[in-house]
Amino acid sequence: MESKILDGRKLADRIEKDLIEELKTFPQTDSTAPGLATILVGENPASKIYVNIKRKACERVGIHSKIINLPETIQETDLLSKIRELNNDSSIHGILVQLPLPSHINLNNIFSAIDPRKDVDCFHPQNFGNLLIGKEDLVPCTPKGIITLLEHYQIPISGQDVVIVNHSTLVGKPLALLMLNRDATVSVAHIKTRDLKKFTEMADILIVGVGKPQLITREMIKEGVVIIDVGINRVAGKIVGDVDFNGVLDKVKAITPVPGGVGPMTVASLLQNTIYTYKQLIM
Ligand code: GUN
């Protein structure tokens, strides 16, 4: 039987191998290697883990990774100065400010300060605006990873009822645009949605990223749905998603595991975006 599990780990490994091959085609010395700068503000334990995962992935493919740790108390003006310094650093081709940031910092000011040519997260208004008009040169990492995974497993998007439970700038909003660009019929649900089940049970493709284990149960989905679980939760020492995986498994057409689904695809997309901005800047 065809596998129901959308294996993000396996596809991410393949993407890394392809990037390694691609990088061999560029003449490289230490000073010309692609460089990704990651700014980590504060001591958020999950952010530290994610930044470390990204650093290791960069090292595997030959991207120079520079991590800048800044204190939780940093003023916005100082963070903006750091970003401007990286904008002007010719050894840096991608800049990522790890989220979340402390609440005294205005996120939109940060997104707008990153040179759009180095904006590997695709949160600069210019790049985000390009998504809106269907120009997908740079795409935010998690939505990009989800689309790559669906396309790899040849899951049709055009004409499908896609329901996204998340309306963040990181995931829900850009993913809705990517789905619209592919002619899906898109609904976006969120914390204020009155009747979540009304939406989830009509989905052909259901994408959930809320941070609530067991949010999506068997009764809430239709037979043959494709589920993409973006949730990452720690329950009794184990990482689980937002979907009751075992409860829904025999009812779905396909589903991403947690871990091993969207997470590795997000990292692979970051590597792809960094190589993309690198090529744009050096050519
Ligand atoms: N925190 C969680 N996911 C992300 C992401 O994709 N980009 C950034 N910058 N921070 C994150």
Side-chain angles (χ1 to χ4, degrees), residues 10 16 36 58 61 98 112 117 132 140 164 182 190 227 245 262:
K10 196 164 144 193
E16 282 191 16
L36 173 67
C58 284
V61 302
Q98 183 67 24
S112 302
R117 294 169 306 169
L132 197 62
I164 302 168
R182 287 159 181 75
H190 46 75
I227 299 185
F245 185 88
V262 175

Short mmCIF file of all heavy atoms in Angstrom, two decimals, residues 10 16 36 58 61 98 112 117 132 140 164 182 190 227 245 262:
data_model
loop_
_atom_site.label_atom_id
_atom_site.label_comp_id
_atom_site.label_asym_id
_atom_site.label_seq_id
_atom_site.Cartn_x
_atom_site.Cartn_y
_atom_site.Cartn_z
N LYS A 10 13.12 12.49 5.32
CA LYS A 10 13.74 11.88 4.14
C LYS A 10 13.88 12.91 3.00
O LYS A 10 14.92 13.00 2.36
CB LYS A 10 12.87 10.71 3.69
CG LYS A 10 13.52 9.75 2.76
CD LYS A 10 12.72 8.46 2.73
CE LYS A 10 12.73 7.86 1.35
NZ LYS A 10 11.72 6.80 1.23
N GLU A 16 19.09 18.51 1.06
CA GLU A 16 20.46 18.85 1.50
C GLU A 16 21.50 18.30 0.52
O GLU A 16 22.45 18.99 0.15
CB GLU A 16 20.74 18.29 2.90
CG GLU A 16 20.11 19.11 4.00
CD GLU A 16 20.59 18.70 5.39
OE1 GLU A 16 21.63 18.01 5.51
OE2 GLU A 16 19.91 19.09 6.37
N LEU A 36 25.16 32.62 6.51
CA LEU A 36 23.87 32.93 7.13
C LEU A 36 24.10 33.45 8.55
O LEU A 36 24.75 32.79 9.35
CB LEU A 36 23.00 31.66 7.21
CG LEU A 36 21.68 31.80 7.99
CD1 LEU A 36 20.71 32.74 7.27
CD2 LEU A 36 21.03 30.45 8.22
N CYS A 58 23.33 24.03 8.38
CA CYS A 58 24.20 24.88 7.56
C CYS A 58 25.57 24.22 7.40
O CYS A 58 26.11 24.14 6.28
CB CYS A 58 24.39 26.25 8.20
SG CYS A 58 22.97 27.33 8.02
N VAL A 61 25.79 21.37 4.84
CA VAL A 61 25.79 21.66 3.40
C VAL A 61 26.88 22.63 2.96
O VAL A 61 27.06 22.85 1.77
CB VAL A 61 24.41 22.18 2.89
CG1 VAL A 61 23.31 21.20 3.18
CG2 VAL A 61 24.08 23.54 3.45
N GLN A 98 15.71 35.20 14.88
CA GLN A 98 14.88 34.12 15.43
C GLN A 98 13.72 34.69 16.25
O GLN A 98 13.90 35.59 17.07
CB GLN A 98 15.76 33.20 16.30
CG GLN A 98 15.04 31.99 16.87
CD GLN A 98 14.61 30.97 15.82
OE1 GLN A 98 15.17 30.89 14.74
NE2 GLN A 98 13.58 30.20 16.13
N SER A 112 11.33 45.08 8.49
CA SER A 112 11.58 46.09 7.45
C SER A 112 13.05 46.49 7.37
O SER A 112 13.48 47.05 6.36
CB SER A 112 10.75 47.35 7.72
OG SER A 112 9.39 47.03 7.76
N ARG A 117 17.23 41.64 0.04
CA ARG A 117 18.02 40.65 -0.72
C ARG A 117 18.62 39.58 0.19
O ARG A 117 19.09 38.56 -0.28
CB ARG A 117 19.15 41.36 -1.48
CG ARG A 117 18.65 42.30 -2.58
CD ARG A 117 19.78 43.15 -3.11
NE ARG A 117 20.44 43.87 -2.02
CZ ARG A 117 21.58 44.52 -2.12
NH1 ARG A 117 22.22 44.55 -3.27
NH2 ARG A 117 22.10 45.15 -1.07
N LEU A 132 2.03 37.99 -2.40
CA LEU A 132 0.63 38.38 -2.62
C LEU A 132 0.30 38.45 -4.10
O LEU A 132 -0.80 38.11 -4.52
CB LEU A 132 0.42 39.74 -1.94
CG LEU A 132 -0.98 40.22 -1.67
CD1 LEU A 132 -1.71 39.30 -0.72
CD2 LEU A 132 -0.93 41.62 -1.06
N PRO A 140 8.50 32.20 2.85
CA PRO A 140 8.80 31.86 4.24
C PRO A 140 9.00 30.34 4.43
O PRO A 140 8.33 29.54 3.76
CB PRO A 140 7.59 32.37 5.01
CG PRO A 140 7.03 33.46 4.17
CD PRO A 140 7.27 33.02 2.75
N ILE A 164 -6.60 26.03 7.00
CA ILE A 164 -5.37 26.31 7.75
C ILE A 164 -5.79 26.79 9.14
O ILE A 164 -6.52 27.78 9.26
CB ILE A 164 -4.55 27.41 7.05
CG1 ILE A 164 -4.21 26.98 5.61
CG2 ILE A 164 -3.27 27.72 7.83
CD1 ILE A 164 -3.64 28.11 4.75
N ARG A 182 -2.05 28.67 -5.99
CA ARG A 182 -2.19 27.36 -6.64
C ARG A 182 -3.66 26.97 -6.83
O ARG A 182 -3.98 25.81 -7.00
CB ARG A 182 -1.44 26.29 -5.81
CG ARG A 182 0.06 26.43 -5.95
CD ARG A 182 0.85 25.78 -4.83
NE ARG A 182 2.28 26.00 -5.05
CZ ARG A 182 2.91 27.17 -4.85
NH1 ARG A 182 2.22 28.21 -4.39
NH2 ARG A 182 4.19 27.29 -5.10
N HIS A 190 -8.67 30.32 13.38
CA HIS A 190 -7.74 30.75 14.43
C HIS A 190 -8.46 30.77 15.77
O HIS A 190 -9.59 30.28 15.90
CB HIS A 190 -7.12 32.10 14.06
CG HIS A 190 -8.12 33.10 13.59
ND1 HIS A 190 -8.98 33.74 14.45
CD2 HIS A 190 -8.44 33.51 12.34
CE1 HIS A 190 -9.76 34.53 13.75
NE2 HIS A 190 -9.46 34.41 12.47
N ILE A 227 -3.42 15.57 6.17
CA ILE A 227 -3.17 16.44 7.34
C ILE A 227 -1.69 16.81 7.43
O ILE A 227 -0.80 15.94 7.38
CB ILE A 227 -3.61 15.77 8.65
CG1 ILE A 227 -5.12 15.47 8.63
CG2 ILE A 227 -3.28 16.67 9.85
CD1 ILE A 227 -5.66 14.91 9.93
N PHE A 245 -2.57 11.75 16.32
CA PHE A 245 -2.01 10.99 15.19
C PHE A 245 -2.58 9.57 15.12
O PHE A 245 -3.10 9.14 14.08
CB PHE A 245 -0.47 10.96 15.33
CG PHE A 245 0.25 10.33 14.19
CD1 PHE A 245 0.63 11.08 13.09
CD2 PHE A 245 0.56 8.98 14.21
CE1 PHE A 245 1.30 10.49 12.02
CE2 PHE A 245 1.23 8.38 13.15
CZ PHE A 245 1.60 9.14 12.05
N VAL A 262 7.09 18.41 9.24
CA VAL A 262 7.28 19.80 8.81
C VAL A 262 8.61 20.38 9.32
O VAL A 262 9.25 21.18 8.62
CB VAL A 262 6.08 20.67 9.28
CG1 VAL A 262 6.31 22.14 8.96
CG2 VAL A 262 4.79 20.17 8.64
#
